[in-house]
Amino acid sequence: MSILVNKDTKVIVQGFTGKEGTFHAEQCLAYGTKIVGGVTPNKGGQTHLGLPVFNTVSEAMAATDATVSMIFVPPAFVGDAVMEAADAGIELAVIITEGAPVRDMMMAKAYAVKNNMKTIGPNCPGVITAGECKIGIMPGMVFKKGNVGLISKSGTLTYEGANQVCNVGYGITTAVGIGGDPIIGLSYIQLLTMFEADPETEAIVMIGEIGGDLEIQAANFIKENITKPVVAFIAGQTAPKGKRMGHAGAIISGSAGTAAEKMAALEAAGVAVVQSPAEIGEKVKEVLSK
Amino acid sequence: MNIHEYQAKQIFAKYNVPVPKGKVAFSVEEAVENAKELGGKIWVVKAQIHAGGRGLGGGVKLAKSIEEVKEFATEILGMTLVTHQTGPEGKLVQKIYIEEGADIADELYLGVVLDRAKEMPVIMASTEGGMEIEKVANETPEKIVKVAVDPTIGFQGFHGRKLAFGLGLPKEQVGKFIKFAAALYKVYMENDASLIEINPLVKTGAGDFVALDGKMGFDDSALGRHPDIEAMRDISEENPAEMEASKYGLSYVKLDGNVGCMVNGAGLAMGTMDTINYVGGEPANFLDVGGAANAQTVAKGFEIILRDPNVKSIFVNIFGGIVRCDRIANGILEATKLVNVSVPVIVRLDGTNAPEAAEILKNANISNVIAASDLGDGAKKAVAAAKGE
């Protein structure tokens, strides 16, 4: 078991023939992901990486039975691409694109929700079920199969966290990079719920950062609803106020969104909070050997 | 990106959001000319810097004669204005705004900002104009009326009524206020703003609403489709090192410590700063080299970090995913040839081909390049090196 995606998941790629789309689709195929085709307007009918290219998502779905789309469309057009996927009936859109305008994502997310399409990202590494299916840009070899679920706003901290979990002798069920933008798709609460229900997942690693209050909401949710042990790290304890730290969403405004506030809320909810990402592995070992 | 008050008011005026008449000036002579051109008997001379709290710092003065306009313009232009938002070093005032005086009967607050939890813009209004809104939110939250606007339906009459009646406005002013708020929502959406604040929003003796101040920030990701707004960028308001870094695809923020950091990915970069702090050191900067950590970007990173004289060691922390670590190791070695790196460089490379990378660094045998086995080890070594241990 796992969450969201597995070895049978059929995936199309929007922005398939572009440089990024091509490179990462190849990597995903090498990992074993069932990519069944792609979409690039005006290139329908061609073959790319040995797979069919379609002009529209609807055509691609009708021909391939895909349920998931991995999106590499450039930022100015990504809102449109997400809405096209939702309109066509895609069940899950994994949006890798970085630099999407907030207004576009606000509209696209609202439309996705209306059409019951789940989204991950934008500006994220994607989702991976270890040993089965990689939809995104993460290095597959870091994720060894195991019993720990991972949720992270940051891409490289997803790899860092997974690597440590594997180095202490455990492994990953599914890892989801939710992205660090102001508007994101699936967030902690939905994913925590899925991991709680997944019989194979025995512990959950949650990596957050400064800005917004998603981690606070997650803490309140964990307190009432999550029985599995959770290990958490919040990046940005040393970040100054009012400065954007790389991610568009990682900014402390006023007194809200600080790491200290989030860590306190998580600790109060019974979460094992570490002060440095270097401690994630050992803490997972500790909670799982209890 | 942020803009000045006078620029925000130019945008407001385009959308029929009422603003007082005014003109920007770059010299005392120009200020006097502007005042004469505006006419009237009262003028406000306002420093234009990207920071709030200008009035308290002495950057906003009410002039009752042309002589006073001249006097205040001379005083404010060229002053280093210190407010609670500028930091102790303050900001040099290079332009001022000369504005007609307003007939103030009451001061309100009106702002639009993204509500990340609701995933829609929220309009905030308060009767407590002229005060810091964060302070109002903490002390008297009941005095703030918040209305989230679903962008798929846009601003409707009921949104306006919730705001106007929520503020307890008399009925003859309700219609005017709704019109004002609707126009401001349009400004926010059509320009891809991330924040608009009008504090104070003034109610005049005649019962009209006027934006006495204006603050606007924009979504950097959307600037590509707003060349008119991009043209409003004031380079003198931006940090030169941060701007140069962004030209090379690096994201840099200077801090006060002495351990420089170069990391791939924003989250890991913050995590690295936190780890340096956790093991007893202080980070000198945030620096995300992004996905492509090659010799050129690493060299540029070294150059920018080393411009800060406080830096006593540099921790390069790269988790090589798709980018192979052996290539990054070679990039780092090449960068040390391009830039004279005078401090110890602690390198931690993990991920794809990490063992090969370690071998490359070892064989290069450069005295000030020290290999680290993992994040914790690297942070400890970098902090020790900064302390001269």
Side-chain angles (χ1 to χ4, degrees):
Chain A
M1 284 288 285
S2 55
I3 68 164
L4 291 167
V5 297
N6 59 39
K7 61 183 186 341
D8 301 318
T9 305
K10 287 184 181 166
V11 184
I12 54 164
V13 183
Q14 282 175 268
F16 188 33
T17 57
K19 194 178 151 214
E20 296 281 308
T22 302
F23 178 77
H24 291 293
E26 271 179 326
Q27 301 277 329
C28 292
L29 283 164
Y31 192 79
T33 307
K34 274 199 181 137
I35 295 182
V36 292
V39 176
T40 301
N42 298 320
K43 292 199 175 168
Q46 297 181 10
T47 300
H48 186 63
L49 308 179
L51 295 166
V53 182
F54 302 90
N55 283 320
T56 66
V57 175
S58 297
E59 283 170 26
M61 283 181 72
T64 64
D65 293 329
T67 56
V68 175
S69 178
M70 172 164 72
I71 303 181
F72 284 99
V73 171
F77 313 106
V78 69
D80 179 15
V82 173
M83 289 189 274
E84 183 187 353
D87 176 71
I90 284 284
E91 289 169 18
L92 170 69
V94 181
I95 313 157
I96 309 298
T97 309
E98 181 180 352
V102 172
R103 183 181 50 167
D104 298 1
M105 289 322 299
M106 202 159 62
M107 297 295 189
K109 171 81 189 289
Y111 190 66
V113 169
K114 192 179 161 203
N115 286 277
N116 295 315
M117 181 178 79
K118 295 187 187 86
T119 54
I120 295 175
N123 189 15
C124 76
V127 54
I128 183 167
T129 289
E132 297 191 26
C133 177
K134 165 180 125 130
I135 303 176
I137 60 174
M138 63 287 272
M141 54 81 195
V142 173
F143 300 81
K144 311 231 163 34
K145 204 159 179 53
N147 55 1
V148 179
L150 195 151
I151 314 166
S152 169
K153 269 186 181 175
S154 143
T156 36
L157 276 179
T158 308
Y159 319 155
E160 178 72 46
N163 193 45
Q164 285 186 32
V165 168
C166 298
N167 283 348
V168 294
Y170 293 89
I172 300 294
T173 46
T174 302
V176 187
I178 60 175
D181 274 12
I183 302 277
I184 58 170
L186 290 180
S187 182
Y188 297 112
I189 291 179
Q190 294 107 314
L191 294 166
L192 285 163
T193 308
M194 291 179 207
F195 279 129
E196 176 75 15
D198 173 34
E200 213 169 298
T201 301
E202 286 171 29
I204 305 162
V205 173
M206 173 184 153
I207 300 171
E209 60 189 33
I210 52 168
D213 68 347
L214 291 177
E215 293 86 350
I216 305 271
Q217 292 175 30
N220 295 332
F221 183 79
I222 289 168
K223 206 175 189 173
E224 304 294 330
N225 303 285
I226 302 298
T227 58
K228 295 177 182 177
V230 181
V231 172
F233 170 68
I234 303 294
Q237 297 159 57
T238 48
K241 274 189 182 176
K243 282 277 187 188
R244 170 176 160 163
M245 306 302 281
H247 287 159
I251 182 163
I252 300 171
S253 39
S255 58
T258 63
E261 175 192 26
K262 294 181 179 192
M263 289 162 74
L266 286 162
E267 262 166 16
V271 173
V273 180
V274 293
Q275 277 178 282
S276 155
E279 314 277 303
I280 292 171
E282 286 304 323
K283 193 54 97 177
V284 166
K285 196 172 167 183
E286 193 185 308
V287 300
L288 275 177
S289 47
K290 260 182 199 168
Chain B
M1 185 186 100
N2 296 322
I3 58 173
H4 290 292
E5 172 199 359
Y6 78 94
Q7 295 166 321
K9 284 179 173 172
Q10 284 169 5
I11 297 175
F12 290 173
K14 257 198 260 174
Y15 287 82
N16 297 316
V17 174
V19 293
K21 271 191 237 134
K23 262 189 109 177
V24 68
F26 297 84
S27 68
V28 176
E29 297 71 39
E30 220 180 326
V32 170
E33 254 172 59
N34 290 354
K36 286 178 181 164
E37 208 177 293
L38 287 169
K41 287 179 183 157
I42 297 177
W43 301 269
V44 190
V45 182
K46 305 171 99 173
Q48 298 295 292
I49 56 166
H50 288 184
R54 293 168 298 165
L56 288 173
V60 178
K61 298 259 160 119
L62 190 68
K64 292 182 178 132
S65 66
I66 293 290
E67 289 70 41
E68 278 191 355
V69 170
K70 190 174 174 179
E71 183 191 328
F72 295 142
T74 312
E75 190 184 312
I76 295 172
L77 263 176
M79 83 185 284
T80 299
L81 190 53
V82 180
T83 81
H84 68 284
Q85 287 183 1
T86 59
E89 69 280 7
K91 268 186 175 170
L92 178 69
V93 182
Q94 293 172 310
K95 41 185 142 324
I96 48 176
Y97 194 48
I98 312 299
E99 200 169 61
E100 63 180 6
D103 166 25
I104 303 174
D106 202 1
E107 295 190 344
L108 308 172
Y109 169 96
L110 188 64
V112 191
V113 68
L114 175 72
D115 183 326
R116 288 170 64 169
K118 291 199 169 77
E119 303 182 327
M120 43 182 92
V122 59
I123 305 178
M124 289 186 293
S126 170
T127 50
E128 305 301 289
M131 278 178 65
E132 249 186 87
I133 196 68
E134 288 85 358
K135 209 171 162 202
V136 181
N138 281 334
E139 289 166 11
T140 47
E142 71 281 0
K143 286 183 176 163
I144 300 178
V145 187
K146 286 186 188 177
V147 175
V149 182
D150 180 341
T152 59
I153 65 165
F155 187 94
Q156 301 293 326
F158 77 88
H159 293 124
R161 291 193 293 278
K162 264 169 108 172
L163 288 167
F165 290 116
L167 290 175
L169 294 175
K171 65 174 184 237
E172 60 276 15
Q173 284 162 9
V174 167
K176 283 179 185 171
F177 186 83
I178 293 176
K179 215 175 133 194
F180 193 108
L184 201 67
Y185 175 80
K186 205 170 171 204
V187 172
Y188 181 88
M189 289 303 283
E190 289 188 5
N191 294 285
D192 283 291
S194 56
L195 166 91
I196 304 181
E197 263 194 318
I198 300 176
N199 194 16
L201 165 71
V202 156
K203 192 155 67 174
T204 66
D208 292 318
F209 294 100
V210 180
L212 204 62
D213 195 6
K215 184 178 173 189
M216 280 189 88
F218 298 88
D219 174 9
D220 290 324
S221 296
L223 283 173
R225 58 189 178 205
H226 299 291
D228 51 331
I229 290 163
E230 176 69 59
M232 289 181 171
R233 185 184 290 277
D234 183 347
I235 294 172
S236 68
E237 287 282 342
E238 314 214 353
N239 181 304
E242 289 172 22
M243 240 177 38
E244 191 192 347
S246 77
K247 257 194 259 167
Y248 293 88
L250 309 173
S251 175
Y252 172 82
V253 177
K254 193 189 166 309
L255 303 168
D256 298 328
N258 59 6
V259 182
C261 328
M262 187 170 352
V263 188
N264 66 332
L268 188 59
M270 280 190 275
T272 303
M273 286 158 44
D274 295 342
T275 306
I276 287 167
N277 183 57
Y278 182 60
V279 299
E282 273 188 71
N285 66 278
F286 165 92
L287 195 152
D288 174 9
V289 290
N294 57 38
Q296 279 71 36
T297 52
V298 172
K300 201 71 213 175
F302 278 142
E303 208 182 304
I304 290 168
I305 290 172
L306 286 167
R307 254 178 240 159
D308 175 358
N310 293 333
V311 171
K312 297 286 180 286
S313 70
I314 298 176
F315 181 19
V316 180
N317 181 22
I318 307 278
F319 201 105
I322 300 301
V323 195
R324 285 168 18 210
C325 290
D326 50 332
R327 285 205 190 160
I328 299 168
N330 282 321
I332 292 167
L333 293 178
E334 214 177 302
T336 58
K337 286 175 204 154
L338 294 170
V339 183
N340 176 29
V341 183
S342 46
V343 300
V345 179
I346 290 76
V347 182
R348 178 263 180 149
L349 292 170
D350 215 329
T352 318
N353 289 7
E356 289 86 338
E359 196 65 15
I360 290 168
L361 291 177
K362 206 178 115 197
N363 292 341
N365 202 16
I366 301 175
S367 63
N368 66 338
V369 175
I370 303 156
S373 57
D374 60 29
L375 171 56
D377 178 51
K380 278 179 207 146
K381 283 180 174 159
V383 170
K387 287 179 179 162
E389 288 164 8

